[in-house]
Every structure is written in structure tokens, then in C-alpha cells.
Amino acid sequence: MSEPRPASEPEVRTHYGACNLCEAICGLEFKVQGRKILSIRGDEADPLSRGHICPKAVALRDLYEDPDRLRKPLRRTESGWQEMDWDAAFELVAERLAGIIKAHGGNAVGAYLGNPSVHNYGHLTHAPALLRQLQTRNRYSATSVDQLPSQLMSYWLYGHQLLLAIPDLDRTQYFFVLGANPMASNGSLMTVPDFRNRVKALHARGGRMVVIDPRRSETAEVADEHHFIRPGGDAWLLLAMLQVIFAERLEKPGRLAEWLDGLDEVRAAVAPFTPERAAPQTGIAAEDIRRLAREFAAAEAAVCYGRMGVSVQAFGSVCQWAIQLLNLVTGNFDRAGGAMFTSPALDLIDSPASRPGHFGKWQSRVSGLPEFGGELPVAVLAEEILTPGEGQIRAMVTMAGNPILSTPNGAQLDRAFAQLEFMVSLDIYLNETTRHADVILPPTSALEHDHYDLIFHHFAVRNSARYNQPLFEKPADARHDWEILSEVGQRLATKLGNKPQNGPRPDQVVDFGLQSGPYGAARRSPDSSMPPLSLKTLKEHPHGIDLGPLQPSLPGRLRSEGQRIRCAVPLVLADIERLAALPETAAGLRLIGRRHVRSNNSWMHNSERLVKGKPRHQLLMHPADLAARGLADGAPVRVRSRVGEITVEVQSSVEMMPGVVSLPHGWGHAREGVRLGVAQAHAGVSVNDLTDERELDAVSGNAALNGLAVEVLAA
Ligand SMILES: Nc1nc2c(c(=O)[nH]1)N[C@H]1C(S)=C(S)[C@@H](COP(=O)(O)OP(=O)(O)OC[C@H]3O[C@@H](n4cnc5c(=O)[nH]c(N)nc54)[C@H](O)[C@@H]3O)O[C@H]1N2
Ligand SMILES: Nc1nc2c(c(=O)[nH]1)N[C@H]1C(S)=C(S)[C@@H](COP(=O)(O)OP(=O)(O)OC[C@H]3O[C@@H](n4cnc5c(=O)[nH]c(N)nc54)[C@H](O)[C@@H]3O)O[C@H]1N2
Ligand code: SF4
Ligand SMILES: [Mo]
């Protein structure tokens, strides 16, 4: 028998939740006593994550308890930041935004949505109404420093920006990975908790994994084969693989042929990209390129997958297109072990609110870059603030974003934000970006609101659904993200003379979506052994419900016109022609990014637990490159690009391809006015003070953060 508890001590309770920090959406088991968190573990009964977690899950506790996390609205005053009450904060924000919109039009207000806004379902349900009130073409998000080319290709090829083809990792026999490091990132546009064990299973069934990366990453470490590639050389590699497949008649689309158009144009477009021509551009031998193409085409079930390394680079759209084409022409699409569409319980593709996307309906004012899905590339945000004229941005709304540390030429954006007439930030911290705000509106922490993952079930390697109640009640005077968005939107509407809209709560939206979704009462097949899904069913199953492996879904799932897959995308083919004519890239050092499992973009460095130990923000460089410059391992060095210079410690690393250096993003907390005690003590420098807002993927306008030409000099 256990010791009797003192009467004052609350009972220990177990609570199930899901981690919303990254795309892996791991199930969690919390033990708490009152408001005290005793432990955070993986939920063994979660059908997708099966007990897996990473060190960041435990840091959810640090975020919750962090004294620097804002709990009351803050207002900038002459004498510094002052707390204010919610009503006054909402009134001030609505008044200032309305004033600017009335005087200068909607485009005078810019909006930036950061990464956590897609991990927080109340954001997804309630941001659109506020954005509608803003009536601005100056909408930006982290998409254009990330997955924009993938979404654009899905829109062009399959007819919907969320219709991404996901590697069927649990059944593939040949996993061909370019520019992704799921061992550190836990997967992206591939929700794959427990990547390590899934790769072990791949090996156990005789499968292979090949990794293409300028750094021998943690993922390359567990692969069967790794090739260094010159940063930005991937388009050459992928097009050459397609060339080999066509030239050697290895294409076998099989049943896919029925839906594919334009393969003759594709064959002609890739014809100049022979392995011999690709070899010097990639640093990979022609015979290896040829062998990789043959192996891929011959594999029993193969899938090609590429993420950040091939997305945020100069030919990101060509890369993401070529990845789709490799899967399509070899028949490794819409079949077990290949690239497949998912069937999420709440399906944003097949819903009344579905937004398939649109491209180029308008252009940015200064540089003429195209919108996609209503957003402009964030690389032009600073110039839209700094360039005077009709439509100039005078005020900003940032929501769950830290673009000063996350977007190219952050120092320029820093200067731009400093000259705004008004800025409001929906954020939990006073950080590099929000320090420019006039008002900061802080939402509840992740442990104080419920969670259903609206986005990442769409990208998961297995279908499942999970809803969890909040671990803790929110404090009396706290507001959820969705409540803040809703309140600001309604007050703004009133001030602009529009009708205020008050939509259903996020959980009501989810309940409706589940009931009308593929496993809901309305559409579930009568012989199903599963209960029809609704919020109630999911509440009764706090570990989540398994909905089985991915299923073939062509042609019904396609949202393209006539349900055809038009492979010959004109803008992509034009960029391929441009690539073929480009001179070989100049010699000199190239800079790439990296991620570490104990870090999460720019905002988790205030957890002592995560940042302690040896620093993880050094510049990695091959020993031969150090020697050639007379630099010593561990010494401070200056790194210089067209836009800036930073000083950082260099670390000798044989993981790096010679000629390539690597620096993670999200650091650089020494900027004045930041209130992040722990992070400031582990500040690092921001790689985005080097990245160049003019270096873009020409097709999409996505930032080309990888492959930047830099010089490294002794400090
Ligand atoms: N050089 C280089 N730059 C990169 C990348 C790279 O690889 N290299 N990666 C890019 C990628 S993939 C991404 S996604 C972007 C990320 O870019 P951003 O989204 O701009 O930056 P984050 O670091 O995710 O900042 C998130 C912000 O949201 C706040 N926040 C956290 N949780 C919540 C919440 O629940 N509600 C609200 N309202 N706020 C919250 C945090 O305090 C922080 O201010 O960075 C990009 N930048
Ligand atoms: N621990 C942790 N997890 C995260 C995040 C985090 O910050 N920390 N961020 C989350 C977010 S927002 C995202 S978008 C995902 C990203 O998920 P991933 O894309 O899997 O993560 P990265 O580490 O950016 O992997 C990019 C890889 O591309 C390589 N690379 C760079 N340039 C090139 C190139 O030109 N060609 C090729 N072939 N490779 C290149 C880099 O060396 C690196 O290994 O991770 C998510 N998960
Ligand atoms: S991998 Fe880590 S950060 Fe990502 S969801 Fe799982 S526990 Fe959270
Ligand atoms: Mo991202």
C-alpha cells in the first residue's frame, strides 16, 4: 500500500495529449499533480507514434512554466513595455488597423503567418476571418521559405495544393531521399514519428535507403548509400535520372498511363540532361547517376522524396516537379510502397471550405513576384515596407512567426519593421520580431488548449485520427489564439462598417469535419467495424484511432481538370530550358542549413534543458577547407555574403562535402530588446543575416536559402 497523501496534496492524474511542436504529432502521456507536471512520456498506444517522442516533448513543460512567456497583453510606451487588459488591447489594435486601412487601403496592412500557426488548429479555423477583414494582398507566411514548390507542384499536377504524395515508408523497398534529414527533423511533408525504427524495418525486409546531401547527415548515417551533392545540383541529378529512364526505355507508368498527359514533352525536355553533363554539376559520377536511375526504376516498390534541401534552393520547383515525375513514370505512384495520397478523417481537400489554390492572380507591387494561394513570397516583404508609393505596407500583423530570424536578409527586415506606423503580434514571446510590435497579444500555451491536427494527418505515412482535451484549464484571464483572432476580426469589422462574423468554435468545426469526412456517419461504408467518427468518438479514444495504411485513390482523389495529370507544366519546362543553358556554377564556398533534434526553428532556445551542453550553432567546415584558408578548428571566423557579414565559431567536420559550409537557422538572440533570458545566454548568430532576398526559385519565388555563395575569413 502506498503512503497516505497529505490532505492538501492533489491527486496524481494521467492525461493523454499530442505534441504539436513538429510534424510528427507524437502521442504523449502526462503525469500531473495539480498544476505540476511530473512526467511527459510517449503514448505507447498511439497507433502512429507508438510511444516515440524526442527531447522537445519534455520541453513542453519548460514552455508552460517559462517565466519569460507572456501571459498578459503588452503595450509599448515611452517608458518601456506595459501590461494592459484584454479589452483595451483589442480596442487599440482594432482602432489603429482600421485607421490605417481607411486612410491608405487594405494593402497598407501586411500579415505574416509563422510556422506554429499550422500546428495550432484554432489558428487554422479562425485566422481566415481576420484576414478577410484586412482585405490585403500583402499576405506572407513561412510557406515561401519552406514548402512552396511542393504545394505549387501538387496544385499544378494534381489540382490541389494540399494533395501531396507521401512516401509509403512502411512498405517501400527503395527509399530515395534528397535534402531531408528526418533523423533530426522527425520528418516533414511526411509525418513519420519513429523514423529510426521504420528504417530498421525497411532494412529488415531487404529494402534500401539512398541519401543525397552535401552533408553526411544523421539520416545519411543510417542509409545504405550516401552521395554528397554540390548544393543546388539536385535538379541536374533528378533530370539526368529521368533522362536515363527515358533513354533506356525503363519507364513503366503501368495503370497510371491512363491519366498522364504530356510525357513526350517531358522526354524532350530532359533529353539534354545526360549523366555525363550532370556529373560536374552535381559532383556525382555519371556511372553512379546511371546506376541510381536503373535501380530506382527496377525496384519492387520505390519512392523518391525531397524536402528542405531541394525546396529552398534556386531550382526548387524543378526539383519538386522532377521528384513527382520520377515516381509517376516508374509507376511508383498511388501504389503500396510508392508515393501515395492519404485519406485523413477530417479532409481539407474534400470539404466545403476546400481551397485548391491559385497562382499568379496578382503580383507583388515592387518586384512583380506571383502570389500563390493568396500569399506573396516573403522575400519581398522588406521592400514592400521600405519602398514608398501607393500600396506601401505601413502596418504589420504577425501571427506565430519570427520572420526577422527566419526569412532572407533578416537584418533588412529588422530595419523595415522599425519604420512601421503600427505593428501587432500574436505571440507568446517578446523576441527578435515582436520587439517591433506596438501591442503583443499572447495566447494560451499548448498545454492549455485542446488539439486536433488539422494539417499533418494529411501528410502522415499512415491514416489515423486523434483529439485531445487540454491538459490544464486555461487561466481565467487568458485567451486562446482563436479567441484573439476572432475578437480582433470582429472589432475590426465593426470599425470598418462591415458585419462582424462569429464562426463556430474550433472543436465544433472539427466535429462537423469528422462527421462529414470519409469515416463519418455520412460516408462510412456499412460493413465497417469502426464506429463512425465524430468528436465524441475521438474523445472516447484518447490514444487516437488507427485508420489503416495508405490506399490507392486514383483517379477519384485528383482535383485537376478532367482528373488528368498534365506533366508538361509550362513554367517548369521553361525553367528546365534555362537550367540547361546556365554556365557551370562558379567555384567558391556554398552555405547550407541544418537542423538539430534539440532545437525547433527560432523559438525553443529559452528551454535550458534543450540548449545546455556544447553549443550547436557553429559553422561546420571540412578540414581541407579550413587548412586552405589557414583557419583553426574552434576559432571565430567571419562569414560574408552579398548582404551581410557575421562572426561565428568554426568547427572542423568531415561530415561536410569539401567546398560546402553549414550553419543552422533560428539563432541570433543577442538583438537588443529581446526578453528571452536563457536564449540570450546561448545567443548564436542568425544565418538569415547572410541569406539573400534576391536569391529565389524563379518559378515560385520561394527563397533559395541553401547553396548561398559565401566567403569565410579569419576573424
Ligand atoms: N536559413 C534558413 N532559414 C529558414 C529555414 C532554414 O532551413 N534555413 N527554415 C524555414 C522554415 S522551414 C520555417 S517553417 C521557418 C519558420 O519561420 P517562422 O514561423 O517565422 O519562425 P518560428 O521560429 O517558427 O517562430 C514561431 C513564432 O511563433 C511563436 N509561437 C510559438 N507557439 C505559438 C502559439 O501557439 N501561438 C502563437 N501565436 N505564437 C506561437 C514563437 O514565439 C515564435 O515567435 O523558418 C524558415 N527559415
Ligand atoms: N528538431 C527539429 N525538427 C524540425 C524543425 C526544427 O527546426 N528542428 N523544423 C521543422 C520544420 S519547420 C521543417 S520545414 C522540417 C524540415 O525537415 P527536413 O527538410 O527533413 O530538415 P532539414 O534539416 O532542413 O534537412 C535538409 C537537409 O538538406 C540538406 N541540404 C542542404 N542543401 C542541399 C542541397 O542543395 N541539396 C541536397 N540534396 N541537400 C541539401 C541539408 O544538409 C539537410 O540535411 O523540420 C521540422 N522539424
Ligand atoms: S518528434 Fe518531438 S517535437 Fe516532434 S511531435 Fe514528436 S515529440 Fe514533438
Ligand atoms: Mo518549415
Side-chain angles (χ1 to χ4, degrees):
M1 253 184 75
S2 56
E3 293 282 301
R5 264 182 304 115
S8 59
E9 223 173 276
E11 218 173 308
V12 174
R13 68 185 168 99
T14 304
H15 177 89
Y16 296 98
C19 178
N20 70 340
L21 293 171
C22 89
E23 299 179 36
I25 49 175
C26 299
L28 303 178
E29 183 196 273
F30 296 90
K31 295 257 189 245
V32 293
Q33 190 169 31
R35 287 243 156 198
K36 199 166 146 223
I37 300 168
L38 303 176
S39 69
I40 303 178
R41 295 207 180 84
D43 180 358
E44 305 277 344
D46 182 297
L48 184 63
S49 64
R50 312 179 299 204
H52 174 265
I53 52 164
C54 83
K56 290 185 294 299
V58 186
L60 281 169
R61 172 182 171 178
D62 306 340
L63 289 174
Y64 175 68
E65 293 170 354
D66 190 345
D68 286 334
R69 182 167 62 80
L70 304 178
R71 284 148 173 97
K72 291 254 162 63
L74 282 189
R75 170 175 42 178
R76 170 197 305 284
T77 70
E78 304 262 290
S79 57
W81 291 98
Q82 263 175 22
E83 287 192 353
M84 67 192 304
D85 70 53
W86 283 101
D87 185 63
F90 289 138
E91 204 47 34
L92 176 62
V93 169
E95 185 66 40
R96 294 297 306 275
L97 291 178
I100 290 168
I101 293 171
K102 281 183 194 158
H104 304 285
N107 292 342
V109 180
Y112 176 85
L113 283 74
N115 169 278
S117 68
V118 291
H119 293 272
N120 178 322
Y121 88 117
H123 243 279
L124 291 160
T125 57
H126 283 69
L130 171 58
L131 292 168
R132 269 197 301 277
Q133 289 304 326
L134 293 179
Q135 282 291 333
T136 180
R137 288 188 165 183
N138 277 310
R139 263 178 59 194
Y140 303 86
S141 80
T143 291
S144 49
V145 279
D146 191 349
Q147 80 288 358
L148 172 54
S150 295
Q151 288 190 252
L152 187 57
M153 288 317 124
S154 287
Y155 168 65
W156 276 335
L157 293 171
Y158 315 128
H160 198 294
Q161 57 178 333
L162 289 180
L163 210 39
L164 304 183
I166 306 306
D168 184 14
L169 187 57
D170 294 339
R171 291 181 292 185
T172 195
Q173 290 296 103
Y174 194 90
F175 188 36
F176 190 73
V177 179
L178 303 104
N181 188 10
M183 285 293 287
S185 70
N186 287 296
S188 182
L189 304 188
M190 172 176 72
T191 284
V192 59
D194 202 13
F195 180 76
R196 185 192 291 273
N197 280 316
R198 290 179 201 264
V199 169
K200 277 192 188 151
L202 166 77
H203 286 142
R205 61 179 182 266
R208 280 173 70 73
M209 173 161 78
V210 178
V211 170
I212 309 292
D213 199 305
R215 177 179 157 243
R216 200 171 69 234
S217 65
E218 294 80 351
T219 302
E221 240 4 282
V222 298
D224 301 273
E225 186 174 336
H226 165 236
H227 294 272
F228 283 133
I229 188 163
R230 289 178 60 176
D234 304 84
W236 277 96
L237 171 64
L238 290 160
L239 296 172
M241 287 175 69
L242 282 168
Q243 188 275 339
V244 171
I245 286 168
F246 283 118
E248 299 187 2
R249 306 239 160 259
L250 302 176
E251 78 265 31
K252 46 167 177 40
R255 66 185 259 279
L256 301 173
E258 198 184 328
W259 305 295
L260 293 177
D261 289 327
L263 284 188
D264 289 339
E265 284 159 271
V266 171
R267 180 197 310 270
V270 304
F273 293 83
T274 59
E276 283 67 28
R277 285 193 67 196
Q281 304 277 0
T282 56
I284 302 174
E287 58 268 32
D288 280 328
I289 298 177
R290 214 164 248 121
R291 177 178 54 81
L292 290 170
R294 289 171 185 158
E295 281 179 14
F296 189 85
E300 203 181 302
V303 62
C304 180
Y305 161 79
R307 258 312 267 138
M308 283 297 281
V310 289
S311 188
V312 288
Q313 60 148 286
F315 285 87
S317 289
V318 171
C319 286
Q320 293 299 344
W321 172 87
I323 287 168
Q324 300 308 312
L325 264 289
L326 267 177
N327 292 329
L328 287 165
V329 300
T330 57
N332 283 299
F333 190 88
D334 197 45
R335 67 173 254 200
M340 301 188 82
F341 294 138
T342 62
S343 179
L346 192 161
D347 188 352
L348 292 175
I349 292 151
D350 192 16
S351 90
S354 182
R355 282 191 290 255
H358 43 76
F359 177 77
K361 278 198 172 174
W362 59 86
Q363 278 75 32
S364 69
R365 178 180 62 108
V366 181
S367 289
L369 262 52
E371 65 80 35
F372 174 62
E375 291 180 359
L376 291 167
V378 72
V380 306
L381 175 55
E383 71 179 17
E384 290 295 331
I385 299 171
L386 292 168
T387 314
E390 171 95 34
Q392 180 185 8
I393 298 177
R394 295 160 184 273
M396 278 300 299
V397 181
T398 72
M399 314 174 189
N402 192 3
I404 302 278
L405 293 192
S406 312
T407 67
N409 201 350
Q412 187 192 30
L413 192 61
D414 218 346
R415 291 191 293 278
F417 277 5
Q419 74 162 54
L420 290 168
E421 281 173 33
F422 181 72
M423 173 159 152
V424 53
S425 293
L426 182 42
D427 208 288
I428 56 175
Y429 284 125
L430 176 44
N431 65 15
E432 299 73 19
T433 292
T434 62
R435 77 196 212 282
H436 289 292
D438 294 280
V439 180
I440 306 176
L441 303 172
T444 50
S445 102
L447 303 185
E448 293 161 333
H449 58 75
D450 59 351
H451 187 66
Y452 178 86
D453 211 294
L454 273 180
I455 294 291
F456 296 103
H457 287 302
H458 287 74
F459 306 147
V461 298
R462 188 175 179 90
N463 295 313
S464 71
R466 178 172 181 134
Y467 171 85
N468 290 110
Q469 316 262 19
L471 174 61
F472 298 124
E473 289 268 294
K474 71 170 180 177
D477 194 32
R479 300 286 189 286
H480 297 307
D481 273 284
W482 69 270
E483 292 174 311
I484 299 172
L485 292 162
S486 169
E487 190 66 34
V488 173
Q490 291 187 60
R491 293 202 192 201
L492 185 57
T494 307
K495 295 203 188 294
L496 292 172
N498 303 331
K499 198 170 155 274
Q501 291 170 339
N502 189 6
R505 288 194 319 264
D507 60 330
Q508 294 169 318
V509 175
V510 165
D511 190 30
F512 173 80
L514 290 170
Q515 294 203 44
S516 51
Y519 315 89
R523 286 164 52 199
R524 186 185 57 128
S525 77
D527 58 352
S528 171
S529 59
M530 230 187 313
L533 289 195
S534 65
L535 199 65
K536 183 169 167 286
T537 343
L538 290 188
K539 280 181 180 169
E540 288 160 6
H541 295 81
H543 307 290
I545 292 185
D546 187 25
L547 300 170
L550 307 185
Q551 299 294 336
S553 61
L554 249 53
R557 192 74 170 136
L558 293 172
R559 290 294 175 271
S560 48
E561 211 190 309
Q563 296 189 317
R564 308 291 307 166
I565 302 174
R566 290 181 190 76
C567 299
V569 178
L571 286 178
V572 172
L573 296 194
D575 216 34
I576 290 175
E577 218 177 299
R578 188 174 70 89
L579 175 64
L582 277 184
E584 207 176 302
T585 43
L589 284 178
R590 299 278 156 169
L591 176 67
I592 62 168
R594 73 172 183 275
R595 283 176 159 76
H596 192 281
V597 73
R598 305 185 75 88
S599 175
N600 189 31
N601 294 328
S602 76
W603 66 280
M604 287 191 69
H605 301 146
N606 217 40
S607 159
E608 187 66 51
R609 190 193 312 266
L610 292 182
V611 293
K612 71 180 180 211
K614 68 177 175 40
R616 283 179 279 268
H617 41 67
Q618 300 97 333
L619 183 79
L620 300 185
M621 189 181 220
H622 190 272
D625 288 324
L626 281 171
R629 287 163 186 77
L631 300 171
D633 184 12
V637 294
R638 289 183 294 145
V639 190
R640 189 190 287 164
S641 71
R642 181 190 74 85
V643 309
E645 181 177 305
I646 59 175
T647 301
V648 62
E649 190 181 300
V650 69
Q651 188 182 320
S652 175
S653 168
V654 290
E655 286 169 9
M656 295 307 301
M657 182 179 191
V660 185
V661 288
S662 156
L663 200 59
H665 75 286
W667 298 89
H669 307 297
R671 280 173 153 89
E672 208 189 313
V674 169
R675 193 190 287 174
L676 295 164
V678 177
Q680 282 164 298
H682 303 263
V685 287
S686 177
V687 68
N688 287 319
D689 288 342
L690 293 173
T691 53
D692 190 333
E693 80 282 8
R694 293 190 202 158
E695 298 287 336
L696 302 171
D697 166 31
V699 174
S700 67
N702 202 41
L705 303 167
N706 282 320
L708 186 77
V710 292
E711 281 178 273
V712 177
L713 314 153

